[in-house]
């Protein structure tokens, strides 16, 4: 941190991460520190913040080539929020860059209050439950996407960056894959795809065998399934549908309760 006069720094250092708040020359802001210690086994222990100038400097620190282009756009009639289109000239598709810039220039709103304001105008198909604009808070992953030919988008006030276009393989890759050798990274990627296929196919296969083709099940396994279902008042289809929801809802509810209890303990009253 290069400051002529450093007035005060406040920090919080815990087992899950750390952050700092600095007042320097009358300018206040958050320092770019580590977000989650468990996420940074390999790589840079920093993250994007709310300041777009800090975020662009984090990208420049990793990609110093003159082919890195940063184009500024202003969004919002009242907020005048700066947004940066970041890409590598010669690697990114020029048509994708042009479409992103045209969509940014076509946004006509009073102000950018949240990420949904951008996603609503930048995505064409809104009737899908799948995310169309993947984002990341890690600068190293953001730069890795730029090296793959994607177009990055940074907006002032949002502590993360978008990578366009969004593809399916982005949801199966992590930043840690680049920290391992090719064999380990490939095995982890194949394991993720295998788990996805098993999650999609096994419930349907179970319903088909138990409901329509019980003769294909081994005798001992069929007897154990029948014995287990004698005390269950629900059908097989309903069990398969409600099981993922209960498995996902129970840990989520416990985590929310723990956070609420911790907030109450820290800030009583």
């Amino acid at each position: 941190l290069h400051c002529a006069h450093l007035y005060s720094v406040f920090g919080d250092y815990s087992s899950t991460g750390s952050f700092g708040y600095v007042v320097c020359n009358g300018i206040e802001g958050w320092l770019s520190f580590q977000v989650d210690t468990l996420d940074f086994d390999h790589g840079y222990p920093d993250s994007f913040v709310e300041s777009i100038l800090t975020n662009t400097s984090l990208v420049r620190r990793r990609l110093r080539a003159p082919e890195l282009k940063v184009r500024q756009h202003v969004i919002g009639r009242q907020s005048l929020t700066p947004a940066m289109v970041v890409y590598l000239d010669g690697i990114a598709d020029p048509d994708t860059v042009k479409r992103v810039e045209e969509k940014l220039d076509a946004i006509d709103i009073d102000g950018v209050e949240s990420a949904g304001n951008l996603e609503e105008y930048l995505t064409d198909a809104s009737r899908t439950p799948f995310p169309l604009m993947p984002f990341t808070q890690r600068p190293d992953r953001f730069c890795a996407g730029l090296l793959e030919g994607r177009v990055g988008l940074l907006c002032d006030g949002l502590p993360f960056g978008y990578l366009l276009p969004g593809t399916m393989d982005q949801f199966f890759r992590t930043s840690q894959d680049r920290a391992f050798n090719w064999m380990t990274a490939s095995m982890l990627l194949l394991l993720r795809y295998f788990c996805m296929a098993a999650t999609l196919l096994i419930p349907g296969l179970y319903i088909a065998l138990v409901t329509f083709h019980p003769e294909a099940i081994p005798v001992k396994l069929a007897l154990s399934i029948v014995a287990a279902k004698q005390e269950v008042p629900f059908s097989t289809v309903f069990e398969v549908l409600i099981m993922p929801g209960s498995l996902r809802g129970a840990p989520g509810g416990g985590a929310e309760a723990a956070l609420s209890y911790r907030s109450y303990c820290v800030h009583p009253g």
Side-chain angles (χ1 to χ4, degrees):
L1 183 64
H2 301 282
C3 294
H5 302 284
L6 182 63
Y7 292 107
S8 57
V9 177
F10 307 95
D12 175 38
Y13 306 93
S14 58
S15 59
T16 58
S18 57
F19 63 87
Y21 192 76
V22 62
V23 181
C24 179
N25 288 339
I27 301 176
E28 302 178 0
W30 291 98
L31 294 176
S32 176
F33 278 6
Q34 174 174 336
V35 175
D36 191 350
T37 306
L38 299 179
D39 256 350
F40 293 91
D41 296 332
H42 301 81
Y44 294 92
D46 54 3
S47 65
F48 286 136
V49 294
E50 288 80 3
S51 173
I52 193 171
L53 297 179
T54 304
N55 295 340
T56 53
S57 66
L58 290 174
V59 176
R60 279 290 185 186
R61 183 188 304 173
R62 292 165 175 80
L63 301 176
R64 299 181 174 89
E67 289 77 15
L68 179 64
K69 306 299 181 182
V70 180
R71 296 184 179 179
Q72 181 173 344
H73 297 259
V74 179
I75 306 174
R77 295 187 298 267
Q78 306 299 328
S79 64
L80 300 178
T81 304
M84 301 289 190
V85 177
V86 188
Y87 65 97
L88 285 172
D89 191 18
I91 299 180
D93 185 12
D95 294 335
T96 303
V97 177
K98 182 179 179 181
R99 290 184 59 188
V100 172
E101 292 186 329
E102 289 177 350
K103 287 180 176 295
L104 283 176
D105 294 334
I107 296 178
D108 186 17
I109 56 177
D110 290 332
V112 180
E113 301 296 334
S114 63
N117 299 129
L118 289 178
E119 297 177 6
E120 182 180 358
Y121 287 92
L122 292 178
T123 55
D124 296 327
S126 58
R127 297 181 179 179
T128 173
F130 301 102
L132 301 178
M133 292 180 57
F135 61 90
T136 178
Q137 198 176 3
R138 296 186 55 169
D140 55 346
R141 187 171 184 179
F142 184 84
C143 294
L146 298 181
L147 293 173
E148 294 174 355
R150 305 185 190 275
V151 180
L153 177 61
L154 299 173
C155 184
D156 192 40
L158 301 180
F160 48 81
Y162 292 101
L163 288 173
L164 304 171
T167 55
M168 182 179 177
D169 65 297
Q170 286 180 278
F171 304 102
F172 291 92
R173 299 180 182 273
T174 64
S175 301
Q176 301 300 326
D177 291 344
R178 296 179 178 272
F180 301 117
N181 59 66
W182 66 271
M183 185 179 297
T184 304
S186 301
M187 291 300 297
L188 291 175
L189 183 61
L190 291 176
L191 180 62
R192 297 187 192 107
Y193 277 105
F194 173 78
C195 292
M196 180 201 66
T199 303
L200 294 177
L201 298 178
I202 288 180
L205 181 63
Y206 173 76
I207 293 176
L209 292 177
V210 173
T211 306
F212 302 103
H213 301 283
E215 67 278 0
I217 305 176
V219 178
K220 292 184 178 181
L221 179 60
L223 293 177
S224 63
I225 293 176
V226 172
K229 290 181 63 65
Q230 287 181 352
E231 304 297 332
V232 179
F234 304 112
S235 63
T236 304
V237 177
F238 186 76
E239 290 179 11
V240 173
L241 291 177
I242 199 175
M243 185 63 69
S246 62
L247 292 177
R248 295 287 297 175
E256 292 294 334
L259 290 176
S260 301
Y261 179 74
R262 184 177 64 182
S263 300
Y264 177 77
C265 292
V266 174
H267 304 286

Coordinates of all heavy atoms in Angstrom, one line a residue, residues 75-144:
I75 N -23.0 3.6 -17.1 CA -24.4 3.1 -17.1 C -25.2 3.9 -16.0 O -24.7 4.1 -14.9 CB -24.4 1.6 -16.7 CG1 -23.4 0.8 -17.7 CG2 -25.8 1.0 -16.7 CD1 -23.2 -0.6 -17.3
G76 N -26.4 4.2 -16.3 CA -27.3 4.8 -15.4 C -27.4 6.3 -15.6 O -26.4 7.0 -15.7
R77 N -28.6 6.9 -15.8 CA -28.8 8.3 -16.0 C -28.4 9.1 -14.8 O -27.9 10.2 -14.9 CB -30.2 8.6 -16.5 CG -30.6 8.0 -17.8 CD -32.0 8.4 -18.2 NE -33.0 8.0 -17.3 CZ -33.7 6.8 -17.4 NH1 -33.5 6.1 -18.4 NH2 -34.6 6.5 -16.5
Q78 N -28.7 8.6 -13.6 CA -28.5 9.3 -12.4 C -27.2 8.8 -11.7 O -26.5 9.7 -11.1 CB -29.7 9.2 -11.4 CG -31.0 9.6 -12.1 CD -31.1 11.0 -12.5 OE1 -30.4 11.8 -11.9 NE2 -31.8 11.3 -13.6
S79 N -27.0 7.5 -11.7 CA -25.8 7.0 -10.9 C -24.5 7.2 -11.7 O -23.4 7.4 -11.1 CB -26.0 5.5 -10.6 OG -26.0 4.8 -11.8
L80 N -24.6 7.2 -13.0 CA -23.4 7.3 -13.9 C -22.3 6.4 -13.4 O -21.1 6.7 -13.1 CB -22.8 8.8 -13.8 CG -23.8 9.9 -14.3 CD1 -23.1 11.2 -14.2 CD2 -24.2 9.6 -15.8
T81 N -22.7 5.1 -13.3 CA -21.8 4.0 -12.8 C -20.8 3.6 -13.9 O -21.2 3.2 -15.0 CB -22.6 2.8 -12.4 OG1 -23.6 3.3 -11.4 CG2 -21.7 1.8 -11.8
P82 N -19.5 3.6 -13.7 CA -18.6 3.2 -14.7 C -18.5 1.7 -14.8 O -18.5 1.0 -13.7 CB -17.2 3.8 -14.2 CG -17.4 3.9 -12.8 CD -18.8 4.2 -12.5
A83 N -18.4 1.1 -16.0 CA -18.3 -0.3 -16.2 C -17.2 -0.5 -17.2 O -17.0 0.3 -18.2 CB -19.6 -0.9 -16.7
M84 N -16.4 -1.5 -17.0 CA -15.2 -1.8 -17.8 C -15.4 -3.1 -18.6 O -15.7 -4.1 -18.0 CB -13.9 -1.9 -17.0 CG -13.6 -0.7 -16.2 SD -13.1 0.7 -17.2 CE -12.5 1.9 -15.9
V85 N -15.2 -3.1 -19.9 CA -15.2 -4.3 -20.7 C -13.7 -4.6 -20.9 O -12.9 -3.8 -21.5 CB -15.9 -4.0 -22.1 CG1 -15.7 -5.3 -23.0 CG2 -17.3 -3.6 -21.9
V86 N -13.3 -5.8 -20.4 CA -11.9 -6.2 -20.4 C -11.8 -7.5 -21.3 O -12.6 -8.4 -21.2 CB -11.5 -6.6 -19.0 CG1 -10.0 -6.8 -19.0 CG2 -11.8 -5.5 -18.0
Y87 N -10.8 -7.4 -22.2 CA -10.6 -8.6 -23.1 C -9.1 -8.5 -23.6 O -8.5 -7.4 -23.5 CB -11.6 -8.6 -24.3 CG -11.4 -7.4 -25.2 CD1 -10.7 -7.5 -26.4 CD2 -12.1 -6.2 -24.9 CE1 -10.6 -6.4 -27.3 CE2 -12.0 -5.1 -25.8 CZ -11.2 -5.2 -27.0 OH -11.1 -4.2 -27.8
L88 N -8.7 -9.6 -24.2 CA -7.4 -9.7 -24.8 C -7.5 -9.6 -26.3 O -8.2 -10.5 -27.0 CB -6.7 -11.0 -24.4 CG -6.1 -11.0 -23.0 CD1 -5.6 -12.4 -22.7 CD2 -5.0 -10.0 -22.8
D89 N -7.0 -8.6 -26.9 CA -7.1 -8.4 -28.4 C -6.3 -9.5 -29.1 O -5.2 -9.8 -28.8 CB -6.5 -7.0 -28.7 CG -6.8 -6.6 -30.2 OD1 -7.8 -7.3 -30.8 OD2 -6.2 -5.7 -30.7
G90 N -6.9 -10.1 -30.1 CA -6.3 -11.2 -30.8 C -6.7 -12.6 -30.2 O -6.5 -13.6 -30.9
I91 N -7.3 -12.6 -29.0 CA -7.7 -13.9 -28.4 C -9.3 -13.9 -28.3 O -9.9 -14.9 -28.7 CB -7.1 -14.1 -27.1 CG1 -5.6 -14.2 -27.2 CG2 -7.6 -15.4 -26.4 CD1 -4.8 -14.4 -25.9
A92 N -9.8 -12.8 -27.8 CA -11.3 -12.8 -27.7 C -12.0 -12.6 -29.0 O -11.4 -12.0 -30.0 CB -11.7 -11.6 -26.7
D93 N -13.2 -13.1 -29.2 CA -13.9 -12.9 -30.4 C -14.4 -11.5 -30.6 O -15.1 -10.9 -29.7 CB -15.1 -13.9 -30.4 CG -15.9 -13.9 -31.7 OD1 -15.4 -13.3 -32.7 OD2 -17.0 -14.4 -31.7
P94 N -14.0 -10.8 -31.7 CA -14.5 -9.4 -31.8 C -16.0 -9.2 -31.9 O -16.5 -8.2 -31.4 CB -13.8 -9.0 -33.2 CG -12.7 -10.0 -33.4 CD -13.1 -11.2 -32.7
D95 N -16.7 -10.2 -32.4 CA -18.2 -10.1 -32.4 C -18.7 -10.1 -31.0 O -19.7 -9.4 -30.7 CB -18.8 -11.2 -33.3 CG -18.4 -11.1 -34.7 OD1 -18.1 -10.0 -35.2 OD2 -18.3 -12.2 -35.4
T96 N -18.1 -11.0 -30.1 CA -18.6 -11.0 -28.7 C -18.3 -9.7 -28.0 O -19.2 -9.2 -27.3 CB -17.9 -12.2 -28.0 OG1 -18.2 -13.4 -28.7 CG2 -18.5 -12.3 -26.6
V97 N -17.2 -9.1 -28.3 CA -16.9 -7.8 -27.7 C -17.8 -6.8 -28.1 O -18.3 -6.0 -27.4 CB -15.4 -7.4 -28.0 CG1 -15.1 -6.1 -27.4 CG2 -14.4 -8.5 -27.4
K98 N -18.1 -6.8 -29.4 CA -19.0 -5.8 -30.0 C -20.4 -5.9 -29.4 O -21.1 -4.9 -29.1 CB -19.1 -5.9 -31.5 CG -19.9 -4.9 -32.2 CD -19.9 -5.1 -33.7 CE -20.8 -4.0 -34.4 NZ -20.8 -4.2 -35.9
R99 N -20.9 -7.2 -29.3 CA -22.3 -7.4 -28.7 C -22.4 -6.9 -27.3 O -23.4 -6.3 -26.9 CB -22.6 -8.9 -28.9 CG -22.9 -9.3 -30.3 CD -23.3 -10.8 -30.3 NE -24.5 -10.9 -29.5 CZ -25.1 -12.1 -29.3 NH1 -24.5 -13.2 -29.7 NH2 -26.2 -12.2 -28.6
V100 N -21.3 -7.2 -26.5 CA -21.3 -6.8 -25.1 C -21.4 -5.3 -25.0 O -22.1 -4.7 -24.2 CB -20.1 -7.4 -24.3 CG1 -20.0 -6.8 -22.9 CG2 -20.2 -8.9 -24.3
E101 N -20.6 -4.6 -25.8 CA -20.5 -3.1 -25.7 C -21.8 -2.5 -26.2 O -22.3 -1.5 -25.7 CB -19.3 -2.6 -26.5 CG -18.0 -3.0 -25.9 CD -16.9 -2.4 -26.7 OE1 -17.0 -2.2 -27.9 OE2 -15.8 -2.0 -26.1
E102 N -22.4 -3.1 -27.2 CA -23.7 -2.6 -27.7 C -24.8 -2.8 -26.7 O -25.6 -1.9 -26.5 CB -24.1 -3.3 -29.0 CG -23.2 -2.9 -30.2 CD -23.6 -3.7 -31.5 OE1 -24.4 -4.7 -31.3 OE2 -23.1 -3.4 -32.5
K103 N -24.8 -3.9 -26.0 CA -25.8 -4.1 -24.9 C -25.6 -3.2 -23.8 O -26.6 -2.7 -23.1 CB -25.8 -5.6 -24.5 CG -26.4 -6.6 -25.5 CD -26.3 -8.0 -24.9 CE -27.0 -8.9 -25.9 NZ -28.4 -8.7 -26.1
L104 N -24.3 -2.9 -23.4 CA -24.1 -1.9 -22.3 C -24.5 -0.5 -22.7 O -25.1 0.2 -21.9 CB -22.6 -1.9 -22.0 CG -22.0 -3.1 -21.2 CD1 -20.5 -3.0 -21.0 CD2 -22.7 -3.1 -19.8
D105 N -24.3 -0.1 -23.9 CA -24.7 1.2 -24.4 C -26.2 1.3 -24.5 O -26.7 2.4 -24.4 CB -24.1 1.5 -25.7 CG -22.5 1.7 -25.6 OD1 -22.0 2.0 -24.5 OD2 -21.8 1.4 -26.6
A106 N -26.9 0.2 -24.7 CA -28.4 0.2 -24.8 C -29.1 0.2 -23.5 O -30.3 0.3 -23.5 CB -28.8 -1.0 -25.7
I107 N -28.4 0.0 -22.4 CA -29.0 0.0 -21.1 C -29.5 1.4 -20.7 O -28.7 2.3 -20.7 CB -28.0 -0.5 -20.0 CG1 -27.6 -2.0 -20.3 CG2 -28.7 -0.4 -18.6 CD1 -26.6 -2.5 -19.3
D108 N -30.8 1.5 -20.4 CA -31.4 2.8 -20.1 C -32.2 2.7 -18.8 O -33.3 2.4 -18.7 CB -32.4 3.2 -21.2 CG -32.9 4.6 -21.0 OD1 -32.3 5.4 -20.2 OD2 -34.0 4.9 -21.6
I109 N -31.4 2.9 -17.7 CA -32.0 2.8 -16.3 C -31.5 4.0 -15.5 O -30.5 4.7 -15.9 CB -31.6 1.5 -15.6 CG1 -30.1 1.3 -15.6 CG2 -32.3 0.3 -16.3 CD1 -29.7 0.0 -14.8
D110 N -32.1 4.3 -14.4 CA -31.7 5.4 -13.5 C -30.3 5.1 -12.9 O -29.5 6.0 -12.7 CB -32.7 5.7 -12.5 CG -34.0 6.3 -13.1 OD1 -33.8 7.0 -14.2 OD2 -35.1 6.1 -12.6
G111 N -30.1 3.9 -12.4 CA -28.9 3.5 -11.7 C -28.7 2.0 -11.6 O -29.7 1.3 -11.7
V112 N -27.5 1.6 -11.4 CA -27.1 0.2 -11.1 C -27.0 0.0 -9.6 O -26.1 0.4 -9.0 CB -25.8 -0.1 -11.8 CG1 -25.4 -1.6 -11.6 CG2 -25.9 0.2 -13.3
E113 N -28.1 -0.6 -9.1 CA -28.1 -0.8 -7.6 C -27.7 -2.2 -7.3 O -27.3 -2.5 -6.1 CB -29.5 -0.6 -7.1 CG -30.1 0.8 -7.4 CD -29.3 1.9 -6.6 OE1 -28.7 1.5 -5.6 OE2 -29.2 3.0 -7.1
S114 N -27.7 -3.2 -8.2 CA -27.4 -4.6 -7.9 C -26.9 -5.2 -9.2 O -27.0 -4.7 -10.3 CB -28.5 -5.3 -7.2 OG -29.6 -5.4 -8.1
A115 N -26.4 -6.5 -9.0 CA -26.0 -7.2 -10.2 C -27.1 -7.6 -11.1 O -26.9 -7.7 -12.3 CB -25.3 -8.5 -9.7
G116 N -28.3 -7.7 -10.6 CA -29.5 -8.1 -11.4 C -29.8 -7.0 -12.4 O -30.4 -7.3 -13.5
N117 N -29.5 -5.8 -12.2 CA -29.7 -4.7 -13.2 C -28.9 -5.0 -14.4 O -29.4 -4.7 -15.6 CB -29.3 -3.3 -12.6 CG -30.2 -3.0 -11.4 OD1 -29.7 -2.6 -10.4 ND2 -31.5 -3.1 -11.5
L118 N -27.7 -5.5 -14.3 CA -26.9 -5.8 -15.5 C -27.3 -7.0 -16.2 O -27.4 -7.1 -17.4 CB -25.4 -5.8 -15.1 CG -24.7 -4.6 -14.7 CD1 -23.2 -4.8 -14.3 CD2 -24.7 -3.6 -15.9
E119 N -27.5 -8.1 -15.4 CA -27.8 -9.4 -16.0 C -29.1 -9.3 -16.7 O -29.3 -10.0 -17.7 CB -27.9 -10.4 -14.8 CG -26.6 -10.6 -14.1 CD -26.7 -11.6 -13.0 OE1 -27.8 -12.2 -12.8 OE2 -25.7 -11.8 -12.3
E120 N -30.1 -8.5 -16.2 CA -31.4 -8.5 -16.9 C -31.3 -7.9 -18.3 O -32.0 -8.3 -19.2 CB -32.3 -7.6 -16.1 CG -33.7 -7.5 -16.7 CD -34.6 -6.6 -15.8 OE1 -34.2 -6.2 -14.7 OE2 -35.8 -6.4 -16.2
Y121 N -30.3 -7.0 -18.5 CA -30.2 -6.3 -19.8 C -29.2 -7.0 -20.7 O -29.2 -6.8 -22.0 CB -29.8 -4.8 -19.7 CG -30.9 -4.0 -19.1 CD1 -31.1 -3.8 -17.8 CD2 -31.8 -3.4 -20.0 CE1 -32.1 -3.0 -17.3 CE2 -32.9 -2.6 -19.5 CZ -33.0 -2.4 -18.2 OH -34.0 -1.6 -17.7
L122 N -28.3 -7.7 -20.2 CA -27.2 -8.3 -21.0 C -27.5 -9.7 -21.4 O -26.9 -10.2 -22.3 CB -25.9 -8.4 -20.1 CG -25.3 -7.0 -19.9 CD1 -24.0 -7.2 -19.0 CD2 -24.9 -6.2 -21.1
T123 N -28.5 -10.4 -20.8 CA -28.9 -11.8 -21.2 C -30.1 -11.7 -22.1 O -31.0 -11.0 -21.9 CB -29.1 -12.6 -20.0 OG1 -30.2 -12.0 -19.2 CG2 -27.9 -12.8 -19.2
D124 N -30.1 -12.5 -23.2 CA -31.2 -12.6 -24.1 C -32.3 -13.4 -23.6 O -33.5 -13.0 -23.6 CB -30.7 -13.1 -25.5 CG -29.7 -12.2 -26.1 OD1 -29.8 -10.9 -25.9 OD2 -28.8 -12.7 -26.8
A125 N -32.0 -14.7 -23.2 CA -33.0 -15.6 -22.7 C -33.1 -15.5 -21.2 O -32.1 -15.8 -20.5 CB -32.7 -17.0 -23.1
S126 N -34.3 -15.1 -20.7 CA -34.5 -15.0 -19.3 C -35.3 -16.1 -18.7 O -35.5 -16.2 -17.5 CB -35.1 -13.6 -18.9 OG -36.4 -13.5 -19.6
R127 N -35.9 -17.0 -19.5 CA -36.8 -18.0 -19.0 C -35.9 -19.3 -18.9 O -36.3 -20.4 -19.5 CB -37.9 -18.2 -20.0 CG -38.8 -17.0 -20.1 CD -40.0 -17.3 -21.1 NE -40.9 -16.2 -21.2 CZ -42.0 -16.1 -22.0 NH1 -42.3 -17.2 -22.7 NH2 -42.7 -15.0 -22.0
T128 N -34.9 -19.3 -18.1 CA -34.1 -20.4 -17.9 C -33.6 -20.4 -16.4 O -33.3 -19.3 -15.9 CB -32.9 -20.5 -18.8 OG1 -32.1 -21.6 -18.4 CG2 -32.1 -19.2 -18.8
P129 N -33.6 -21.5 -15.7 CA -33.1 -21.5 -14.3 C -31.6 -21.5 -14.2 O -31.0 -21.4 -13.1 CB -33.7 -22.8 -13.8 CG -33.8 -23.7 -15.0 CD -34.1 -22.8 -16.1
F130 N -30.9 -21.7 -15.4 CA -29.4 -21.8 -15.3 C -28.8 -20.4 -15.5 O -29.3 -19.6 -16.2 CB -29.0 -22.7 -16.5 CG -29.5 -24.1 -16.4 CD1 -30.6 -24.5 -17.2 CD2 -29.0 -25.0 -15.5 CE1 -31.1 -25.8 -17.1 CE2 -29.5 -26.3 -15.4 CZ -30.6 -26.7 -16.2
P131 N -27.7 -20.2 -14.8 CA -27.0 -18.9 -14.9 C -26.4 -18.7 -16.3 O -25.7 -19.6 -16.8 CB -26.0 -18.9 -13.8 CG -25.7 -20.4 -13.5 CD -27.1 -21.0 -13.8
L132 N -26.6 -17.5 -16.9 CA -26.1 -17.2 -18.2 C -24.9 -16.3 -18.2 O -24.2 -16.2 -19.2 CB -27.2 -16.6 -19.1 CG -28.5 -17.4 -19.3 CD1 -29.5 -16.6 -20.1 CD2 -28.2 -18.7 -19.9
M133 N -24.6 -15.7 -17.0 CA -23.5 -14.8 -16.9 C -22.6 -15.3 -15.7 O -22.8 -14.8 -14.5 CB -23.9 -13.4 -16.7 CG -24.5 -12.8 -17.9 SD -25.0 -11.1 -17.7 CE -23.5 -10.3 -17.2
P134 N -21.8 -16.3 -15.8 CA -20.9 -16.7 -14.7 C -20.1 -15.5 -14.2 O -19.6 -14.7 -15.0 CB -20.1 -17.8 -15.3 CG -20.8 -18.2 -16.5 CD -21.5 -17.0 -17.1
F135 N -19.9 -15.5 -12.9 CA -19.1 -14.5 -12.3 C -18.1 -15.1 -11.3 O -18.3 -16.2 -10.8 CB -19.9 -13.4 -11.6 CG -20.8 -14.0 -10.5 CD1 -20.3 -14.0 -9.2 CD2 -22.1 -14.4 -10.7 CE1 -21.1 -14.5 -8.2 CE2 -22.9 -15.0 -9.7 CZ -22.4 -15.0 -8.4
T136 N -17.1 -14.4 -10.9 CA -16.1 -14.8 -10.0 C -15.6 -13.6 -9.2 O -15.5 -12.5 -9.7 CB -14.9 -15.6 -10.7 OG1 -14.0 -16.0 -9.7 CG2 -14.3 -14.7 -11.7
Q137 N -15.2 -13.9 -8.0 CA -14.6 -12.9 -7.1 C -13.1 -13.0 -7.1 O -12.4 -12.1 -6.5 CB -15.1 -13.0 -5.7 CG -14.9 -11.8 -4.8 CD -15.6 -11.9 -3.5 OE1 -16.1 -12.9 -3.1 NE2 -15.5 -10.8 -2.7
R138 N -12.5 -14.0 -7.7 CA -11.1 -14.2 -7.7 C -10.4 -13.6 -9.0 O -10.8 -14.0 -10.1 CB -10.8 -15.7 -7.6 CG -11.3 -16.3 -6.3 CD -10.8 -17.7 -6.2 NE -9.4 -17.9 -6.3 CZ -8.7 -19.0 -6.1 NH1 -9.3 -20.0 -5.6 NH2 -7.4 -19.1 -6.2
P139 N -9.5 -12.8 -8.9 CA -8.8 -12.2 -10.0 C -8.1 -13.2 -10.9 O -8.0 -13.1 -12.1 CB -7.8 -11.2 -9.4 CG -8.4 -10.9 -8.1 CD -9.0 -12.1 -7.6
D140 N -7.5 -14.3 -10.2 CA -6.8 -15.2 -11.0 C -7.7 -16.0 -11.9 O -7.4 -16.4 -13.1 CB -6.0 -16.2 -10.1 CG -6.9 -16.8 -9.1 OD1 -8.0 -16.4 -8.9 OD2 -6.4 -17.8 -8.4
R141 N -8.9 -16.4 -11.4 CA -9.9 -17.1 -12.3 C -10.4 -16.1 -13.4 O -10.7 -16.6 -14.5 CB -11.0 -17.6 -11.4 CG -12.0 -18.5 -12.2 CD -12.9 -19.2 -11.2 NE -13.8 -20.1 -12.0 CZ -14.8 -20.8 -11.4 NH1 -14.9 -20.8 -10.1 NH2 -15.5 -21.6 -12.1
F142 N -10.6 -14.9 -13.0 CA -11.0 -13.9 -14.0 C -10.0 -13.8 -15.2 O -10.4 -13.8 -16.4 CB -11.2 -12.6 -13.4 CG -11.8 -11.5 -14.3 CD1 -13.2 -11.4 -14.4 CD2 -11.0 -10.6 -14.9 CE1 -13.7 -10.4 -15.3 CE2 -11.5 -9.6 -15.7 CZ -12.8 -9.5 -15.9
C143 N -8.7 -13.7 -14.8 CA -7.7 -13.6 -15.9 C -7.6 -14.9 -16.6 O -7.2 -14.9 -17.8 CB -6.3 -13.3 -15.2 SG -6.3 -11.6 -14.4
A144 N -7.8 -16.0 -16.0 CA -7.8 -17.3 -16.7 C -8.9 -17.3 -17.8 O -8.7 -17.9 -18.9 CB -7.9 -18.5 -15.7

